[in-house]
Amino acid sequence: MSQVLLAPSLLSADWAQLADAVAIAEEGADWIHLDVMDGQFVPNLTFGPVIARAVRKLTRLPIDAHLMIHDPLAFVPAFREAGVDRMTVHVEARGVCGPGWAAPIRSHGEGGAAGDGGPAPTEAHAIDLDRLRRTLAAVRKSGAGVGLALRPDTMLSEVEAVLGEVDLVLPMSVYPGFSGQEFRPEALLQIRYAAAWRERNQPRYLIQADGGVAADTIAAIAAAGAEVFVSGHGVYRQPDPRAALQDLRRRAEAARRTP
Ligand code: DX5
Ligand code: ZN
């Protein structure tokens, strides 16, 4: 697979100029990434279907919703109705993996809760695979593309059983909740793992990178095997966001061509 898909994250945009931010994406990107947060799964609160619908009116680009919420099942129909094309759920969300997930939810970043790098891996993870499958099936049934996201402390090997059922895999490179955090290089291992697993088993998912994706990190991420690149600060907090998008694409394409 040699494609490069850019998905700028509106979280870093100037929301007073939403139409401009969307126009920038229309000119130089492939998808629009919407970060949906419930203040529970992550210590930050953003928006719901009403805003997704407003973005839908502004663009024909596919809308890629990253659901950082505990109960995605409750909102899948509303997001779909609002015109969202893809929904990515977190395996660690209570409504997705069941109550067995014991790791504390923490995040750090601009204005965020204090943290020393994320959850301590003290408790065993227990994923309710049936429940996870039901969530993925509900997204599929809605007509949206199905994505599965993992926090940096969740290993892809834990969800191998469902990798054949998704269109997109997102091993996060920051703890979700805030834009502007530093890229965690251990995500490269997970991206390589996702690429190798795909090579061996031939499922059809795309590999997405999200968190600290910018001019200085995108080449390594692309070389590891990702093809969908979410970027917030790397686009909207740059002096010229249009030029930043072009630069990101050039760097990613060059890195993917290099064997
Ligand atoms: C973080 C979000 C990201 C965020 C990326 O929880 O999922 O999509 O907006 O922002 P940057 O690229 O600035 O890390
Ligand atoms: Zn995101």
Side-chain angles (χ1 to χ4, degrees):
M1 230 176 288
S2 63
Q3 60 187 323
V4 165
L5 297 169
L6 297 182
S9 164
L10 290 180
L11 192 58
S12 301
D14 177 358
W15 279 81
Q17 311 293 339
L18 178 61
D20 288 351
V22 173
I24 287 166
E26 282 248 315
E27 281 174 39
D30 304 282
W31 301 356
I32 288 191
H33 186 79
L34 287 188
D35 287 301
V36 177
M37 306 185 189
D38 64 358
Q40 299 290 320
F41 178 67
V42 290
N44 196 5
L45 192 60
T46 55
F47 45 76
V50 171
I51 300 290
R53 188 183 299 275
V55 174
R56 175 76 292 158
K57 283 194 190 144
L58 293 169
T59 183
R60 281 188 300 219
L61 286 183
I63 297 178
D64 173 42
H66 179 187
L67 303 183
M68 289 162 272
I69 61 180
H70 267 309
D71 191 10
L73 270 184
F75 292 97
V76 165
F79 276 113
R80 186 63 185 147
E81 227 166 87
V84 164
D85 299 281
R86 313 179 145 265
M87 293 181 218
T88 296
V89 300
H90 265 270
V91 61
E92 308 88 357
R94 269 199 303 273
V96 178
C97 69
W101 196 272
I105 307 291
R106 279 157 62 191
S107 186
H108 60 135
E110 53 178 28
D116 56 9
T122 48
E123 311 272 354
H125 298 166
I127 299 172
D128 179 343
L129 280 176
D130 288 341
R131 197 193 284 240
L132 172 56
R133 284 206 164 91
R134 277 203 299 280
T135 308
L136 300 176
V139 176
R140 173 83 59 215
K141 189 160 170 258
S142 79
V146 184
L148 183 61
L150 290 79
R151 291 191 325 209
D153 57 337
T154 305
M155 296 299 106
L156 257 173
S157 53
E158 299 181 66
V159 296
E160 270 181 8
V162 301
L163 289 183
E165 297 163 42
V166 300
D167 305 308
L168 179 142
V169 172
L170 167 55
M172 295 271 315
S173 39
V174 296
Y175 281 92
F178 301 91
S179 56
Q181 300 183 68
E182 204 170 310
F183 178 77
R184 304 176 74 96
E186 66 265 30
L188 295 175
L189 300 174
Q190 295 252 77
I191 290 168
R192 279 194 209 109
Y193 189 102
W197 202 90
R198 182 170 64 184
E199 190 73 29
R200 259 198 327 277
N201 299 285
Q202 304 292 314
R204 61 200 172 125
Y205 57 75
L206 294 167
I207 303 171
Q208 186 173 57
D210 185 7
V213 179
D216 58 338
T217 55
I218 196 166
I221 300 166
E227 56 268 310
V228 188
F229 303 89
V230 176
S231 181
H233 270 47
V235 175
Y236 290 115
R237 297 295 175 95
Q238 300 307 305
D240 182 346
R242 288 179 175 83
L245 276 171
Q246 280 177 9
D247 181 53
L248 289 175
R249 190 182 298 283
R250 200 173 37 75
R251 289 173 191 264
E253 281 174 352
R256 284 192 66 88
R257 274 197 303 273
T258 314

